[in-house]
């Protein structure tokens, strides 16, 4: 009986861990899932090859969504494009009318959502690329949309987090902060979590938009919080990576590199053993969930790309123009690809393939 209980506990823990990660076949939004862990269950080949490229015509800072064998990507050209994951063939293009910055597509129930620098959130029919509705905020949108049931959450530089109806884009509620909402919200327990440009980490109830609690980060934050094990993880512009204990509603730990004091704009990827984040110190940092440094990997320029993790490996771009694959446990370089232009977008992983865009407008697929 004791053995059976132990097995059941292990199974429950495994299911809990897996539930926070992204299914192998789909990467439906920024960071893959609503916990923003940046971790995929997909089995990525050990030996990567470049399978195809797509020329978007302008810089790609948006990260891809991949659902049902279709890749959705936005670009500074002001286009949301749907392509085949298999060969890069274009299915359709939707014009937003304004450049798309860092806002990344989110897919739910046959609809793709994306924000643009004109401050408009677009809802687009995924099968044919026809516009369904738009919502206009009062300033640019760099936050990525997150869909929960019949609601879509999005931040704007007009200092609000919005909750809209997926049916028609009507405002269900809006929450005012004291600075631009650059962060993409992460979701847990009926609450949306944002790490703010106003130096405050907030928990906001999705049902009615009321703030449940807040914690002072002590610094401007551009990164989005990743959630795992009752904690949120994110870097700040005060050269720190933080963990917030969501139950105690307090900072659990702060990590700072002993020599290199640079901001973190990259959003962390978090597994059951590692927190991995890129820094403007040109390093990728691998930490324990307790905030202890395990390894660093040096690139040749700042790392704005948010790492993705699959098959025991870290996939991340650098502004040095290279796409790196690192060992999760030790940070050893396993492979690199020279794209020749900064890679500030984040990788998306599905069905054994990795997709990432570059600032010269090329979208790459590896597998």
């Amino acid at each position: 009986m004791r053995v059976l209980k132990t097995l059941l506990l292990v199974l429950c823990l495994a299911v809990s861990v897996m539930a926070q990660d992204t299914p192998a076949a789909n990467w439906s939004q920024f960071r893959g899932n609503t916990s923003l862990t940046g971790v995929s269950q997909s089995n990525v080949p050990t030996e990567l090859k470049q399978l195809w490229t797509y020329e978007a015509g302008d810089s790609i800072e948006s990260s891809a969504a991949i659902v049902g064998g279709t890749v959705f990507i936005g670009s500074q050209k002001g286009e949301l494009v749907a392509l085949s994951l298999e060969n890069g063939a274009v299915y359709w293009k939707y014009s937003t009318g304004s450049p798309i910055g860092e806002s990344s597509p989110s897919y739910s129930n046959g609809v793709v959502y994306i924000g643009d620098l004109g401050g408009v959130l677009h809802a687009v029919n995924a099968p044919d690329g026809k516009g369904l509705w738009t919502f206009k905020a009062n300033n640019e949108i760099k936050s990525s949309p997150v869909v929960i049931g019949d609601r879509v959450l999005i931040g704007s530089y007009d200092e609000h987090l919005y909750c809209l109806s997926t049916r028609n884009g009507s405002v269900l509620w809006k929450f005012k902060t004291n600075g631009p909402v650059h962060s993409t919200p992460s979701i847990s327990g009926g609450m949306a979590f944002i790490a703010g440009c106003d130096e405050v980490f907030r928990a906001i109830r999705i049902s009615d938009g009321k703030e449940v609690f807040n914690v002072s980060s002590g610094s401007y934050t551009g990164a989005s919080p990743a959630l795992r094990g009752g904690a949120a993880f994110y870097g700040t512009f005060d050269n720190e990576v933080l963990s917030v204990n969501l139950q105690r509603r307090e900072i659990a730990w702060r990590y700072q590199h002993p020599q290199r004091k640079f901001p973190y704009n990259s959003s962390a990827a978090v597994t059951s053993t590692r927190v991995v984040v890129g820094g403007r110190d040109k390093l990728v940092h691998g930490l324990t969930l307790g905030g202890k440094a395990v390894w660093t990997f040096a690139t040749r320029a700042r790392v704005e790309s948010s790492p993705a993790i699959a098959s025991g490996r870290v996939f991340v771009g650098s502004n040095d123009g290279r796409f790196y694959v690192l060992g999760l446990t030790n940070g050893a370089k396993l492979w690199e690809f020279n794209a020749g232009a900064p890679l500030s977008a984040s990788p998306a992983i599905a069905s054994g393939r990795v997709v990432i865009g570059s600032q010269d407008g090329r979208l790459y697929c590896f597998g």
Side-chain angles (χ1 to χ4, degrees):
M1 183 62 70
R2 187 179 296 124
V3 171
L4 180 59
K5 286 182 178 178
T6 302
L7 287 173
L8 285 172
L9 178 61
V10 170
L11 179 60
C12 288
L13 287 172
V15 170
S16 174
V17 168
M18 294 288 275
Q20 296 183 75
D21 296 332
T22 306
N26 294 320
W27 184 281
S28 63
Q29 65 157 78
F30 181 62
R31 311 306 290 136
N33 56 73
T34 57
S35 296
L36 307 189
T37 58
V39 181
S40 172
Q41 297 170 15
S42 185
N43 184 22
V44 179
T46 304
E47 299 290 331
L48 282 184
K49 297 178 181 177
Q50 182 183 339
L51 300 179
W52 53 260
T53 61
Y54 166 73
E55 299 280 352
D58 208 335
S59 178
I60 300 173
E61 297 172 34
S62 172
S63 303
I66 306 171
V67 177
T70 299
V71 179
F72 302 95
I73 191 71
S75 75
Q76 288 272 356
K77 191 177 180 182
E79 288 183 337
L80 173 67
V81 184
L83 313 98
S84 166
L85 178 62
E86 177 64 27
N87 57 22
V90 175
Y91 294 138
W92 51 255
K93 297 181 181 181
Y94 168 87
S95 176
T96 56
S98 295
I100 297 170
E102 296 166 42
S103 184
S104 300
S106 178
Y107 174 99
S108 178
N109 292 323
V111 181
V112 184
Y113 304 86
I114 195 165
D116 67 32
L117 297 181
V120 177
L121 177 69
H122 302 260
V124 181
N125 193 42
D128 59 14
K130 303 297 183 183
L132 298 175
W133 54 259
T134 59
F135 165 77
K136 180 74 167 69
N138 293 317
N139 210 326
E140 62 187 12
I141 294 175
K142 294 187 177 181
S143 170
S144 299
V146 176
V147 181
I148 301 296
D150 62 354
R151 299 174 176 224
V152 56
L153 301 172
I154 189 75
S156 168
Y157 271 50
D158 67 9
E159 303 188 347
H160 286 87
L161 176 69
Y162 291 94
C163 178
L164 311 173
S165 165
T166 57
R167 184 173 61 86
N168 56 14
S170 60
V171 177
L172 301 177
W173 54 257
K174 58 182 180 179
F175 180 87
K176 175 74 166 64
T177 70
N178 297 313
V181 182
H182 185 96
S183 171
T184 296
S186 50
I187 308 297
S188 179
M191 290 188 286
F193 299 92
I194 54 172
C197 298
D198 59 1
E199 305 186 4
V200 179
F201 173 84
R202 301 178 189 272
I204 301 165
R205 201 159 50 218
I206 296 172
S207 61
D208 58 10
K210 302 301 183 185
E211 183 176 270
V212 179
F213 69 88
N214 68 67
V215 176
S216 174
S217 302
S219 176
Y220 176 98
T221 304
S224 303
L227 308 178
R228 187 179 287 275
F233 305 87
Y234 57 95
T236 75
F237 274 64
D238 197 30
N239 317 327
E240 294 181 321
V241 179
L242 308 184
S243 173
V244 175
N245 185 308
L246 301 181
Q247 184 174 7
R248 295 181 181 175
R249 304 177 179 184
E250 63 184 19
I251 303 292
W253 53 255
R254 297 175 181 267
Y255 161 81
Q256 189 173 83
H257 190 276
Q259 287 86 36
R260 301 173 73 86
K261 313 296 185 187
F262 288 84
Y264 294 89
N265 194 42
S266 162
S267 295
V270 187
T271 72
S272 58
T273 61
R274 288 286 182 273
V275 178
V276 182
V277 62
R280 289 188 172 175
D281 56 4
K282 306 181 183 179
L283 299 176
V284 182
H285 301 253
L287 316 175
T288 68
L289 265 63
K292 303 299 182 184
V294 180
W295 54 261
T296 58
F297 173 80
T299 74
R300 300 168 180 85
R302 60 173 55 177
V303 182
E304 305 279 39
S305 174
S306 301
I309 296 172
S311 304
R313 282 165 282 160
V314 177
F315 303 83
V316 64
S318 170
N319 280 20
D320 66 9
R322 290 168 171 81
F323 177 57
Y324 295 98
V325 180
L326 313 175
L328 176 60
T329 56
N330 58 11
K333 184 175 75 173
L334 304 176
W335 187 78
E336 74 172 65
F337 172 83
N338 189 356
L343 299 168
S344 58
S346 303
I349 303 174
S351 301
R353 299 191 169 199
V354 186
V355 176
I356 188 171
S358 68
Q359 288 188 18
D360 66 358
R362 287 188 175 92
L363 183 70
Y364 295 92
C365 179
F366 303 98

